[in-house]
């Protein structure tokens, strides 16, 4: 059983999801941080929901929503000629929902710690809100941006329950690494399970180590 | 009609404080804003700058015939072209010193970046990040940043805090020159009478959120530069006779011969006496005629070499027709004479 | 062209063998997905793009045909349930051996082999309260638990035995209703030549040989 | 099929895991924030690893590690007389590993934003490092603490892959809500799936809404 | 032997700055530390306080015969009992104003919490959070917090920044009293000569990370309170004759009759002249004898009513045996006379 299709599929899914989510989360997180709208807590709760819900709940609803018999799934089928469930597109949509909080939350935290007076200073220096956002808030929140990217990517790579429910485990189409390992264990193919698990373990560890070594920061000292 | 800044504001901040102020400030030279801690000076500047928009209340601001806030609309803060030096420096932590100073400069026709950097002695710091800047260094960067943004008006909230007296005495004239040369008016919050004497053309007083009135403007004489010396210039008071008192005063100031210089007279360094004190430690001893003695109608007015000087109420001017004024220290300020007049 | 098989876990290795031979004898390719019968069925109902469903029961293919999702249904094998253990087991003293131990079986709700295991236990008069039954989603996982030492006894398909290595096997013939494993050619795949070709191949002599060799009985 | 045992089990698991993890993560996060040790990036990478790994990798290794035939599992069996896999204790251990980063990361972020000068001030006022930690760092990081608690709890409730692998779905012992929903969907028992999913959805949404309504904060404003 | 603070330090901060200083400071009264912005004043205080321990270098500190840093060990910052007022307030954002002030007080025998709150006029703010405090308010809370922690020594880094002159002139005497009454020595960083004149017993100068020497201590005369008046007290200079010059000076100060008061003479408000100036705006005109004229050996030394006064080099004292000293303004400072002497 070759593991490359699963690895390739997983990376593709994680990349696509991360790219789309960062693009969506950036304005959303900024809006949540700066708005005075009464709707904010509601939007915030909705955004956080996928974090709190078991993947199977998400999977269940997505399955219902995207099934060819549901309005949305049917529309998709008519327009694209393809079903959403058990397809890569379906996985991407599921991942977007599933990982949304992982993109929004770190950005929101980072934006919230941008000091108001610093933004004020930018404004009196002639920066439009958009300009101040791009040249002050965003650079100051870059750690949050990095965190959002890493978390979203990681969470998508590690996605399992949702994928299993809305994607099944169709080799080359929806069988991502996590499912591949599950399958390998099920079929007593411990060699594959070990190769994938160890590989992922070593790879993740190295990436994280690099991130943390290069991301040294001052931090607080007490003694 | 000269340009003015009209405002009528009513803003609540917290349960105990309301800023409720209305005034019209000439937008020429430096208007000092003084008042005890917590009287609302910072709140006033922020409101005028269009920050703190969230707080409800009345808000009418017109700057040089342009409505900034009012029924006609709202000019957002970034279009008001205010060079705001905040009470805390609030530098951009992700930019170098040069990046901070250049932030505003990039967003407008660049003015004298290099001159500002030089005047504030920031050259050696330009490439550094802002971490580890000393208190005074950070403050100077904040000043430079505001000045370099080619502002239409300066809002300076205790900008000299943390600067050593040497740098202060070099930099105050620099601000004076910037204000008069580029005709950028300034609102200047300060607790330091020296700064007020050096810079202010008028002094507005706040107390508990209200404008409590205009204070007597600082005592000042005008003089002209007669010669450049090594470390500074030599000036002669307007109205002084050759070899007479005030004919030749050395000032540690950069100015060109012929330029006008304001000679600020700090209250605590001016000694009025009925007799001539003779040789002494004073920079100059000038004859003074009392045009109007202090009394119920207001402060005393003096004639000094033909120049009229109003004396703040706190000074005890002896009751005599003629006096001697020994000046122990002056605070000079370059003045660019309006060439259009 | 490609045919996508949905294979009940017990039949996975056999299906892979079939796929190999089919690919060698035709210019089509085969992709094998697997799971419990119930899970695969639920996926098909939800729109999963399978071509051929190799179920572990007759019920679900029949339901597919009845709802028009399946174009054709046929029995491809009769399954055999076995009980494996670490130590040799006396068929007469299963209850004693089980007492307090862990017994893994597939979830009868989704896996026909699990349902068969339940029947076998009833016929052996085993009381599930006297031991610890471990229900997992399919027979593949049952095997995993046994191999990793996480269970002492496991109800498996005979076809899985080669995967296990050393294990004592107790045959349970007659103690459970016949496991009739039906295949369904899904309606959506009628136009897929690969699906049609595989459907034909499934009833070929060559296929029957492989299926039998894997430990299944053949229908009539 | 009654759903209460699954709900009860899930809550119990989430509570136990959250309580233990917060107790462990607090000193760990503080150490990570303040230490100058060379080991910091390594420890940081290890702590973050479960975030990046698919639950199935974790599940696989835990399955191997905790099995009664493995040294650790065997030892456990000898000492406690119970096997780890397919037991509540096993689930707790798996959850602790699985949710560790969700407890450590928010705390670390919060601790990192405690200003050094404020800590310095506490010290010159006579606070020992421990005292300063308890009376300054911790209160200032309380949002992080709350976030850590909520995330850990939520992540444990949502745990699926790991439980599926090391816990199976033994009713009342290891069948948590997420597994219950999965099973319900697999058996096309949509009624149960709906009850559980909707319940969880509504409950989560309400909790989040409450958190966000009461957690109003200033934030940054730009226009 | 009087208590002293010895230190020998060498610390690198960034590529351009190294603090390399060695000195022994008497731990009595107030030692002012002055120097231009960036000269290392803050760095010195932090190093002495045992903060910034991460930076390697030499570090030997002995405080009142107790080794704070050195081969014999290291006293952690929280055991040094330093009342540190940082250049920025750095209040605890999660505590109320009262909580901030009480933070240190809780960790030791409580000293005069109420007195401090009253002296700094913090009463109305006590229950507030620290958000929205004005610049001067925050500064006062930081001061109160340090004072209330019953410190063994005060480190004050420009503590009066942002305070209005009214409050400053009330609070400086308060600090002076705290220092002398509780015998808490203080290191006081300041750019303001007024503050230095009011408080400092000696002035240490830093430049570019080095100690550049001791400055002439501020000119000061001693006096005693003769009567309490409504708004303040009336004092008589030590050595003044009944009805003679200096016999009765009104000061806006709280003090008890008989108490000693230091009368700081700000350089810029002291006018030396050879003739008596007659009636005028001076608070007092005192006869002066020049004990030692300014010259190569150092600054001039004067005799004022029997008290010896050293005149800083910047002042131009006329060359004559006897002079008149007109004092336009004084900066009073209560002094508790050491009763053990
Ligand atoms: N958000 C707020 N909540 C409560 N009170 C506030 C708030 N913002 C400002 N204040 C109060 O408003 C008053 C005026 O503050 P402001 O900063 O304008 O004073 P200031 O004149 O600049 O004083 P300073 O000279 O000390 O800087 C202060 O008493 C302050 O405590
Ligand atoms: N981490 C650092 N990196 C680089 N330079 C630093 C660092 N910390 C301090 N410095 C430099 O050390 C010098 C001394 O700083 P310090 O804060 O002690 O000055 P200061 O005398 O207190 O000045 P001020 O009166 O402006 O507060 C400054 O030039 C500052 O830029
Ligand atoms: O092959 Mo099954 O559907 O797990 O019994
Ligand atoms: Mg202010
Ligand atoms: Mg400093």
């Amino acid at each position: 059983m070759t593991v490359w299709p699963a690895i390739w599929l997983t990376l593709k899914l994680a990349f696509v999801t991360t790219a789309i989510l960062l693009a969506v989360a950036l304005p959303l997180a900024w809006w949540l941080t700066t708005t005075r709208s009464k709707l904010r807590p509601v939007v915030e709760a909705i955004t956080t929901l996928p974090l709190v819900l078991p993947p199977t709940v998400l999977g269940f609803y997505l399955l219902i929503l995207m099934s060819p018999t549901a309005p949305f799934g049917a529309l998709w089928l008519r327009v694209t000629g393809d079903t959403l469930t058990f397809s890569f597109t379906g996985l991407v949509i599921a991942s977007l929902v599933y990982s949304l909080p992982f993109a929004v939350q770190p950005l929101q935290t980072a934006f919230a710690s941008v000091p108001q007076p610093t933004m004020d200073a930018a404004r009196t220096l002639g920066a439009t809100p958009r300009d101040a956002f791009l040249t002050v808030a965003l650079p100051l929140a870059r750690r949050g941006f990095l965190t959002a990217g890493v978390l979203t990517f990681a969470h998508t790579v590690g996605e399992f329950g949702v994928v299993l429910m809305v994607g099944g485990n169709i080799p080359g189409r929806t069988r991502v690494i996590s499912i591949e390992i599950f399958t390998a264990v099920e079929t007593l193919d411990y060699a594959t399970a070990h190769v994938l698990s160890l590989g992922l373990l070593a790879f993740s560890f190295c990436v994280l180590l690099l991130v943390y070594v290069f991301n040294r920061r001052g931090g607080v000292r007490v003694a | 009609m000269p340009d003015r800044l009209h405002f009528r504001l009513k803003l609540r901040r917290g349960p105990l404080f309301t800023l409720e102020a209305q005034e019209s400030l000439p937008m020429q030279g430096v208007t000092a804003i003084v008042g005890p801690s917590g009287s609302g000076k910072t709140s006033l500047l922020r409101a005028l700058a269009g920050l703190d928009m969230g707080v409800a209340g009345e808000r009418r601001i017109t700057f040089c015939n342009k409505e900034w806030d009012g029924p006609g609309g709202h000019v957002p803060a970034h279009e008001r072209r205010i060079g705001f030096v905040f009470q805390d420096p609030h530098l951009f932590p992700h930019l170098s010193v040069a990046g901070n100073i250049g932030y505003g400069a990039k967003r407008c026709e660049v003015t004298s970046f290099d001159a500002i950097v030089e005047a504030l002695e920031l050259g050696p710091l330009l490439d550094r990040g802002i971490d580890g800047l000393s208190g005074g260094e950070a403050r100077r960067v904040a000043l430079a940043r505001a000045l370099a943004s080619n502002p239409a008006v300066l809002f300076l909230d205790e900008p000299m805090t943390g600067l050593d007296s040497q740098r202060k005495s070099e930099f105050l004239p620099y601000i004076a020159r910037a204000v008069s040369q580029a005709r950028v008016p300034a609102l200047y919050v300060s607790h330091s009478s020296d700064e007020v004497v050096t810079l202010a053309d008028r002094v507005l007083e706040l107390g508990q959120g209200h404008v409590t009135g205009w204070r007597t403007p600082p005592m000042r004489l005008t003089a002209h530069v007669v010669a450049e010396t090594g470390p500074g210039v030599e000036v002669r008071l307007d109205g002084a006779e050759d070899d007479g008192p005030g004919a030749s005063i050395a000032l540690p100031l950069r100015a060109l011969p012929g330029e006008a210089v304001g000679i600020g007279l700090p209250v605590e360094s001016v000694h009025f006496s009925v007799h001539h004190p003779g040789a002494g430690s004073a920079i100059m001893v000038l004859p003074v005629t009392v045009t109007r003695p202090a009394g119920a109608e207001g402060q005393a007015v003096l004639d000094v070499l033909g120049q009229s000087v109003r004396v703040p109420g706190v000074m005890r001017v002896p009751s005599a027709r003629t006096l001697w004024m020994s000046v122990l220290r002056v605070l000079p300020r370059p003045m660019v004479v309006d060439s259009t007049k | 062209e490609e045919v996508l098989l949905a294979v009940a876990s017990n039949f996975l290795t056999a299906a892979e063998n079939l796929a190999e031979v089919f690919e060698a004898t035709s210019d089509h390719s085969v992709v094998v997905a697997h799971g419990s019968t119930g899970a695969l069925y639920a996926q098909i109902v939800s729109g999963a793009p399978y071509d051929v469903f190799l179920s572990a029961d007759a019920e679900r293919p029949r339901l597919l045909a009845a709802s028009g999702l399946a174009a054709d249904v046929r029995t491809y094998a009769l399954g055999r349930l076995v009980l494996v253990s670490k130590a040799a087991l006396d068929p007469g003293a299963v209850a004693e051996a089980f007492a307090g131990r862990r017994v893994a079986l597939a979830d009868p709700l989704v896996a026909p082999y699990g349902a068969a295991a339940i029947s076998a236990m009833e016929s052996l008069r085993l009381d599930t309260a006297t031991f610890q039954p471990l229900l997992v989603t399919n027979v593949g996982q049952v095997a995993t638990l046994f191999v990793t030492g996480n269970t002492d006894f496991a109800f498996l398909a005979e076809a899985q035995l080669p995967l296990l290595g050393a294990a004592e096997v107790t045959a349970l013939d007659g103690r459970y209703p016949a496991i009739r494993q039906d295949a369904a050619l899904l309606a959506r795949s009628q136009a897929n030549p690969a699906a049609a070709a595989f459907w034909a191949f499934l009833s070929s002599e060559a296929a029957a040989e492989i299926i039998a060799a894997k430990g299944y009985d053949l229908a009539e």
Side-chain angles (χ1 to χ4, degrees), chain A, chain B, chain C:
Chain A
M1 183 195 305
T2 171
V3 297
W4 294 111
I7 291 175
W8 166 237
L9 186 72
T10 307
L11 291 180
K12 195 168 75 167
L13 180 66
F15 268 117
V16 171
T17 305
T18 307
I20 297 178
L21 265 191
L22 284 182
V24 172
L26 212 56
L28 182 59
W30 185 243
W31 182 83
L32 284 174
T33 319
T34 56
T35 185
R36 305 176 147 263
S37 159
K38 287 241 170 78
L39 276 179
R40 190 177 64 82
V42 180
V43 177
E44 225 164 353
I46 292 177
T47 320
T48 318
L49 213 47
L51 186 77
V52 187
L53 288 179
T56 47
V57 173
L58 282 179
F60 175 54
Y61 284 122
L62 286 170
L63 197 62
I64 289 181
L65 193 79
M66 302 199 299
S67 116
T69 54
F72 176 68
L75 185 76
W76 186 272
L77 185 61
R78 258 222 314 283
V79 172
T80 66
D82 203 3
T83 48
L84 267 181
T85 42
F86 308 97
S87 73
F88 182 73
T89 317
L91 277 196
V92 170
I93 292 178
S95 303
L96 289 178
V97 176
Y98 182 58
S99 294
L100 178 68
F102 287 78
V104 174
Q105 290 259 338
L107 281 173
Q108 217 183 322
T109 309
F111 283 146
S113 71
V114 172
Q116 181 60 37
T118 310
M119 293 303 287
D120 288 345
R123 295 174 63 207
T124 62
L125 291 167
T128 61
R130 198 189 131 82
D131 186 357
F133 171 71
L134 290 175
T135 55
V136 178
L138 207 51
L140 287 185
R142 64 188 179 286
R143 267 184 67 87
F145 192 78
L146 187 76
T147 309
V150 170
L151 287 191
T152 307
F153 194 88
H155 200 236
T156 310
V157 167
E159 202 172 330
F160 173 71
V162 177
V163 177
L164 196 62
M165 289 182 79
V166 310
N169 59 358
I170 304 170
R173 271 173 84 169
T174 59
R175 188 183 283 179
V176 294
I177 296 180
S178 57
I179 306 257
E180 181 84 55
I181 292 171
F182 183 66
T183 305
V185 172
E186 249 181 34
T187 54
L188 300 179
D189 182 1
Y190 282 13
T192 303
H194 269 300
V195 165
L196 278 173
S197 297
L198 265 183
L200 217 57
L201 193 75
F203 175 77
S204 306
F205 184 76
C206 292
V207 168
L208 287 176
L209 199 61
L210 277 181
V211 167
Y212 286 122
V213 167
F214 282 109
N215 210 357
R216 298 224 100 135
R217 55 183 181 264
V220 197
R221 276 161 293 118
V222 152
Chain B
M1 203 198 79
D3 291 330
R4 298 187 84 87
L5 171 63
H6 303 277
F7 62 86
R8 197 164 82 220
L9 299 167
K10 185 169 176 181
L11 303 171
R12 245 178 97 79
R13 316 258 341 242
L16 297 172
F17 182 80
T18 305
L19 177 72
E20 188 165 7
Q22 164 168 16
E23 195 48 79
S24 172
L25 311 176
M27 284 290 94
Q28 245 165 11
V30 177
T31 306
I33 297 178
V34 301
S37 163
S39 58
K41 306 178 295 296
T42 300
S43 306
L44 175 63
L45 290 194
R46 287 184 61 87
L48 292 177
L51 307 169
D52 301 331
M53 293 305 295
V55 194
E58 189 173 1
R59 191 190 302 267
R60 292 275 176 100
I61 307 172
T62 314
F63 174 77
C64 297
N65 302 321
K66 183 164 181 203
E67 193 170 83
W68 270 0
D69 271 304
H74 165 69
V75 176
H78 60 274
E79 284 171 14
R80 298 192 183 188
R81 294 185 52 221
I82 294 171
F84 204 139
V85 176
F86 297 89
Q87 204 165 354
D88 291 319
H90 297 311
L91 301 179
F92 301 123
H94 60 299
L95 296 178
S96 67
V97 167
N100 267 278
I101 303 176
Y103 188 90
K106 266 189 226 132
R107 282 158 180 80
C108 61
E109 322 92 86
V110 181
T111 44
S112 37
F113 184 96
D114 294 339
I116 292 166
V117 168
E118 196 199 338
L120 286 163
E121 297 179 51
L122 289 170
L125 300 179
L126 278 183
D127 295 332
R128 271 183 56 178
I130 67 153
D131 270 4
L133 286 183
S134 82
E137 288 165 349
R139 173 80 37 187
R140 281 183 277 149
V141 175
L143 261 165
R145 182 176 67 170
L147 292 174
S149 69
N150 193 20
V153 55
L154 285 168
F155 281 15
L156 308 172
D157 199 349
E158 307 193 29
M160 297 293 155
T161 306
L163 260 64
D164 50 290
S165 44
Q166 171 65 23
R167 285 212 168 77
K168 226 181 259 184
S169 72
E170 284 168 12
F171 192 60
L172 281 170
Y174 179 88
I175 293 193
R177 189 182 290 280
V179 167
S180 60
Q181 229 165 28
R183 304 250 201 88
V184 183
L187 303 190
Y188 193 104
V189 171
S190 177
H191 291 302
S192 153
S193 58
D194 276 7
E195 293 168 25
V196 171
V197 171
T198 308
L199 290 178
D201 292 299
R202 62 201 77 84
V203 182
L204 186 70
E205 195 169 33
L206 293 192
Q208 298 183 9
H210 303 287
V211 171
T212 49
W214 292 95
R215 276 213 203 150
T216 317
M219 294 194 289
R220 196 175 286 136
L221 298 171
T222 52
H224 277 83
V225 178
V226 287
E228 278 183 282
T229 60
V233 293
E234 199 181 292
V235 303
R236 160 182 295 201
L237 290 181
D238 294 2
E241 283 165 31
D242 292 356
D243 301 328
S248 155
I249 307 162
L251 296 179
L253 190 73
R254 275 185 264 174
L256 297 174
E259 260 188 304
V261 174
I263 306 286
L265 306 176
V267 174
E268 73 274 10
S269 299
V270 171
H271 182 198
F272 293 107
S273 58
V274 292
H275 300 314
H276 191 291
S281 58
I283 292 178
M284 53 188 175
V285 181
L286 304 172
V288 166
T289 315
V290 179
T291 324
R292 195 181 72 197
E297 330 93 274
Q299 295 99 37
V301 181
L302 310 178
D303 176 287
V304 183
L305 303 176
Q307 302 185 35
S308 173
V309 173
R310 268 218 288 168
V311 182
V314 289
M315 288 202 80
R316 293 169 304 170
V317 182
S319 47
R321 269 283 301 152
T322 59
L323 293 169
W324 293 96
M325 179 169 83
S326 308
V327 180
L328 309 181
R329 187 176 57 130
V330 298
L331 295 169
R333 151 189 171 171
M335 295 195 296
V336 176
V337 179
D338 198 336
S339 55
T340 60
K341 271 188 198 164
Chain C
E1 296 294 315
E2 184 186 271
V3 56
L4 181 51
L5 303 184
V7 179
S9 298
N10 71 87
F11 197 68
L12 181 59
T13 44
E16 277 166 352
N17 273 6
L18 288 176
E20 245 169 66
V21 174
F22 174 67
E23 279 177 338
T25 56
S26 72
D27 42 6
H28 301 299
S29 61
V30 181
V31 175
V32 180
H34 67 94
S36 70
T37 297
L40 294 171
Y41 170 75
Q43 288 178 14
I44 292 168
V45 171
S46 305
Y50 299 123
D51 298 308
V52 173
F53 174 34
L54 300 177
S55 175
D57 67 356
E59 176 66 3
R60 289 181 174 87
R62 189 185 63 74
L63 287 173
L64 288 178
S67 62
L69 283 171
D72 196 0
V73 171
R74 86 152 56 100
T75 304
Y76 65 94
L78 299 173
R80 277 194 230 135
L81 180 74
V82 293
L83 172 62
V84 294
S85 54
K86 285 178 185 152
L89 192 62
D90 172 7
V94 176
E96 292 72 35
F98 272 22
R101 315 301 295 273
R102 292 173 156 196
V103 179
L105 66 158
D107 187 342
L109 286 174
V110 289
Y113 278 81
I118 296 285
S119 306
M121 289 194 292
E122 277 165 3
S123 112
L124 288 166
R125 306 196 189 294
L126 298 174
D127 178 2
T128 52
T130 62
F131 55 91
Q132 302 178 45
L134 302 181
L135 261 60
V136 289
T137 57
N138 60 50
V139 289
Q141 282 192 340
V142 175
T144 303
L145 295 190
F146 184 77
V147 171
T148 54
N150 281 297
T151 187
D152 306 306
F153 304 96
F155 287 97
L156 290 170
E158 190 178 318
Q160 293 174 285
L161 290 179
L163 295 171
L164 299 186
E168 297 296 332
V169 179
T170 309
L172 298 168
D173 295 332
R175 297 200 174 274
Y176 57 91
I179 305 173
R180 204 178 106 205
Q181 305 196 184
D182 280 6
L185 173 64
L186 296 178
R188 60 180 288 282
S189 311
Q190 278 168 297
N192 181 351
F198 185 84
W199 191 250
F201 169 73
L202 193 58
S203 42
S204 69
E205 270 309 310
E209 252 171 56
I210 294 169
I211 293 169
K214 277 286 166 188
Y216 293 94
D217 295 324
L218 293 173
E220 90 283 2

